[in-house]
Amino acid sequence: MASLSKTLYAIVAGVGSGTGRSVALRFAKAYPVVLLARHNDSYDSIVSDIQKQGGQAVGISADTSDPESLNAAFEAIKKEHPDKKLAAAIFNVSGGLTFKSFLELKVEDIDASHAANGRSFFNFAQKVLPQLLESVDDAPNPPTLLVTGATASVRGSARFGPFAAGKFAVRALSQSLAREFGPQGVHVAHAIIDGVIDIPRTKGYNVNDGKPDGKIAPDAIAESYWYLHTQHRSAFTQELDIRPYVEKF
Amino acid sequence: MASLSKTLYAIVAGVGSGTGRSVALRFAKAYPVVLLARHNDSYDSIVSDIQKQGGQAVGISADTSDPESLNAAFEAIKKEHPDKKLAAAIFNVSGGLTFKSFLELKVEDIDASHAANGRSFFNFAQKVLPQLLESVDDAPNPPTLLVTGATASVRGSARFGPFAAGKFAVRALSQSLAREFGPQGVHVAHAIIDGVIDIPRTKGYNVNDGKPDGKIAPDAIAESYWYLHTQHRSAFTQELDIRPYVEKF
Amino acid sequence: MASLSKTLYAIVAGVGSGTGRSVALRFAKAYPVVLLARHNDSYDSIVSDIQKQGGQAVGISADTSDPESLNAAFEAIKKEHPDKKLAAAIFNVSGGLTFKSFLELKVEDIDASHAANGRSFFNFAQKVLPQLLESVDDAPNPPTLLVTGATASVRGSARFGPFAAGKFAVRALSQSLAREFGPQGVHVAHAIIDGVIDIPRTKGYNVNDGKPDGKIAPDAIAESYWYLHTQHRSAFTQELDIRPYVEKF
Amino acid sequence: MASLSKTLYAIVAGVGSGTGRSVALRFAKAYPVVLLARHNDSYDSIVSDIQKQGGQAVGISADTSDPESLNAAFEAIKKEHPDKKLAAAIFNVSGGLTFKSFLELKVEDIDASHAANGRSFFNFAQKVLPQLLESVDDAPNPPTLLVTGATASVRGSARFGPFAAGKFAVRALSQSLAREFGPQGVHVAHAIIDGVIDIPRTKGYNVNDGKPDGKIAPDAIAESYWYLHTQHRSAFTQELDIRPYVEKF
């Protein structure tokens, strides 16, 4: 951990027991990290795990769907890291998943998906992009905004309407931001996570006939995110898919 | 006009001077039509034009982003057509278009695009799908829900973030509804309109070097919608693109 | 049949018992048609059926994968219709379908798919595009080159490698031709036929749980092709999908 | 170079001054590599560069479009590495690029693109997949088949017809192989290289307004390939795009 950056930090929005946690632990090998989640039980143990591995982390409670809440969080971040620049921001927030017949849904379902997905990513990107732009000249790796997508980002399956609407919207924004901020030196990339992630909550799921590694290891996702962060600016990836070797697609 | 249906009607949400107007006039050759727009100046002249061509039309003011407003509109429709079934519903609402740098936008911009696109289509689909399902056994053409998309439905261009987010979301929903309601006999189709439409507002636009037919004739879009409506259920199209012969793509 | 064109003709390459036959019968309502197939048993009965419905048709044996064979065919066509211009050309040739593990295949399999798909379409397009360009100023409908694709045009499924390679190649060419010849007034469109077609050969197939209209009616495909042919040049469709209402996708 | 594998080797087909060379040098840090090219001037200097960096390499002349030539090459490889298993195979062959109006092309142009792209990849995959399958149980990284694509792999631009046909075909095959051999433990991935590569031949090209890093560094592509090779089998990427930060897309 001798290499922990003294001038840069990273931020991960949407941490819990899966992708967000692994990404935070991975980026914490290089940078102090800020963890955002609505409730502290989502980040407390990750902060502790990062400290155990010799890193620095702070958790901040924030609701990314609410610009005011996010403003408050970023003021707290500024106090935490007054002189550091932002190396990488990872948007791993999700929500709005329902699995009902369309006619059983309420308008609140599509609104909830918008709030958790499109609006949350919009708010988060508005806060981090000015900071990422400031790092372009100095940071060893191009400043990076990484976005977690899902199968529903590219496919509107039956009974997944509102969730897919939210995920498609995030993907649209990520493309638009890549096209606007890429030429300014910020790397915006979108990952389509196509499979069940191997986390405590999915322990009992019978996925891919129970074959070994039939669920996605969140640490493996984190390695992909780290790789994207380290790409040379002459060779940015805007989108990649991630799925288990045994996944049907 | 001898063939105007006595048992079926059609509804077009989002009428004005372009696609909505032409689609209304086209479907009014076969069905009495209901026109929805926020303000009566958007539909008054269309109602009159439809009557001149021997058809029947009624305009109803409604805000598709507001479920209450839409409920009131559909009660009015029920009074207008107490015994008719729904043959076709066209969602031609749009909104939320901004053309600014992402960092100049406000959260209201992404919310406005959600309201005009994803939420409006959600609300409209919730009202029309139960009626379309009721027509499956009787209507000569498969009951149809048609959705107007745009280039921004499949591409998040720089400075088009919120608009693309809204359009991607509508496309996601249209796919999800096609997969849920197609097998029940309702045809859900999405048209990607890729070009400038030839309407009074675009009269002065220099498009495609001013070549003849370089803007899309809204009557030509209407013919495509009518064709989609008449497709046999063994051969539904879920998506097609529409662009001028001289458009770059 | 009073309306059979005296100045224009149509050509359908790849006729048999399914899509090609239906398309030929449909276009024969408006134009004298030329049918191409490798063997006369593929077109003899179609010629006869077209004559029965009051149309004109001639069948010519040709191998579209062989430029020489195609040259001979087009000389025969010129004798048949010395003064007519070409209104529409439909490429419905296919081949190269294998369903084996990749390691059981031979190089002949990928070559056969290339010959039947990419090379055949290349050869056919080279012969018909000059003629279609000559019709641009006169023909009532924009001269049209229509191409039959399949699910394998957009998806490389396991064990479908060579076939998908061939179909992807045809789709690539169709896009390239649309972009080169569209601005010159020729409409190039590609249809993705996603489902089993209802023809004598598939009679026994249990498709979509045997539901009615669970196989695609070739006459319905033909209606889509005719519709594409009649699109206004300000509103060309480059691609559409066609599938039964009950098809999973 | 202490870590050079004693049990595994890698093979790169299609080496010259760009991507192939960089990929060979990158994989040569871990494995002895075999370089395939039609002529020895394409690989001689790379062999020498690899040896200078402490690696092992051998170049073999082969024409991937010709199964016999490839058979001979693989017999030579077997003599070179009688006891080693194959860790990774990279298909970087290309060809068939023309930039002419479609009507100026000859059938030889589409055949040449087929030979260089679809058929070459087919032949190469037939030789390497059996070897890659044999490495599944032992190799520290999942055995990998990597494929170089281009913008033309997903877009048929005007005047790029035959080249796009070839590239689309390779992509189709790569998907099909990923779906067949992924579940058997072999990682098949396809990279869409979207931009001009910075090699001696493109030195004078004015790309992206001459901005720094406006051409793709081939070493950066090589890093992406290496990263793909090291992905955990629970999190395979099937496709990613690579382009300069300033590239329009």
Side-chain angles (χ1 to χ4, degrees), chain C residues 154-246:
Chain C
V154 288
R155 189 178 196 284
S157 296
R159 296 173 156 251
F160 277 94
F163 185 62
K167 289 297 180 193
F168 270 56
V170 167
R171 184 169 177 255
L173 274 177
S174 86
Q175 288 183 9
S176 182
L177 297 177
R179 290 184 168 109
E180 181 173 354
F181 294 94
Q184 300 177 55
V186 175
H187 186 185
V188 182
H190 180 259
I192 300 166
I193 312 297
D194 179 23
V196 171
I197 300 177
D198 191 10
I199 50 174
R201 185 169 54 81
T202 64
K203 197 62 73 185
Y205 290 23
N206 183 17
V207 171
N208 286 317
D209 303 325
K211 281 178 192 145
D213 297 324
K215 296 176 200 160
I216 307 175
D219 286 355
I221 298 175
E223 286 303 323
S224 280
Y225 283 29
W226 180 256
Y227 172 67
L228 289 168
H229 174 52
T230 62
Q231 282 188 320
H232 187 249
R233 69 174 173 171
S234 81
F236 280 169
T237 290
Q238 209 283 306
E239 189 162 83
L240 51 71
D241 52 301
I242 291 175
R243 72 175 60 75
Y245 69 115
V246 286

Side-chain angles (χ1 to χ4, degrees), chain B residues 155 248-249, chain D residues 155 248-249:
Chain B
R155 188 179 196 283
K248 284 262 182 358
F249 72 105
Chain D
R155 190 179 194 283
K248 283 264 183 357
F249 73 104

Side-chain angles (χ1 to χ4, degrees), chain D residues 1-10 24-34 50-51 53-57 81 84 87 140 226:
Chain D
M1 280 301 158
S3 64
L4 203 62
S5 179
K6 289 183 167 32
T7 56
L8 295 162
Y9 78 103
L25 282 159
R26 181 63 189 85
F27 280 70
K29 292 183 185 174
Y31 307 113
V33 296
V34 174
I50 288 173
Q51 288 165 345
Q53 76 174 21
Q56 294 174 22
H81 297 297
K84 290 205 185 68
W226 180 256

Side-chain angles (χ1 to χ4, degrees), chain D residues 46-188:
Chain D
I46 311 175
V47 168
S48 156
D49 288 347
I50 288 173
Q51 288 165 345
K52 272 180 220 156
Q53 76 174 21
Q56 294 174 22
V58 61
I60 297 174
S61 297
D63 176 355
T64 49
S65 72
D66 174 4
E68 292 311 306
S69 169
L70 214 50
N71 282 339
F74 274 80
E75 278 173 35
I77 293 172
K78 192 157 198 174
K79 279 177 194 149
E80 184 71 23
H81 297 297
D83 303 317
K84 290 205 185 68
K85 291 186 171 180
L86 185 59
I90 293 93
F91 181 77
N92 188 54
V93 176
S94 197
L97 181 56
T98 56
F99 185 66
K100 289 184 185 170
S101 169
F102 180 71
L103 295 177
E104 295 168 28
L105 298 170
K106 306 274 175 236
V107 69
E108 287 75 16
D109 293 308
I110 190 87
D111 285 349
S113 184
H114 167 62
N117 295 297
R119 192 207 281 153
S120 280
F121 180 48
F122 180 94
N123 290 336
F124 183 70
Q126 289 233 320
K127 301 304 291 184
V128 299
L129 278 165
Q131 288 197 42
L132 292 168
L133 286 169
E134 283 176 21
S135 311
V136 168
D137 293 334
D138 301 327
N141 294 305
T144 310
L145 172 54
L146 298 173
V147 186
T148 300
T151 319
S153 303
V154 289
R155 190 179 194 283
S157 297
R159 295 172 156 253
F160 277 94
F163 186 61
K167 290 297 180 192
F168 270 56
V170 167
R171 183 169 178 256
L173 273 177
S174 86
Q175 287 183 10
S176 182
L177 297 178
R179 290 184 167 109
E180 181 173 354
F181 294 94
Q184 299 178 56
V186 176
H187 184 185
V188 182

Side-chain angles (χ1 to χ4, degrees), chain A residues 179, chain B residues 155, chain D residues 194 208-209 243-249:
Chain A
R179 291 184 167 110
Chain B
R155 188 179 196 283
Chain D
D194 179 22
N208 286 318
D209 304 323
R243 71 176 60 77
Y245 69 116
V246 287
E247 188 79 18
K248 283 264 183 357
F249 73 104

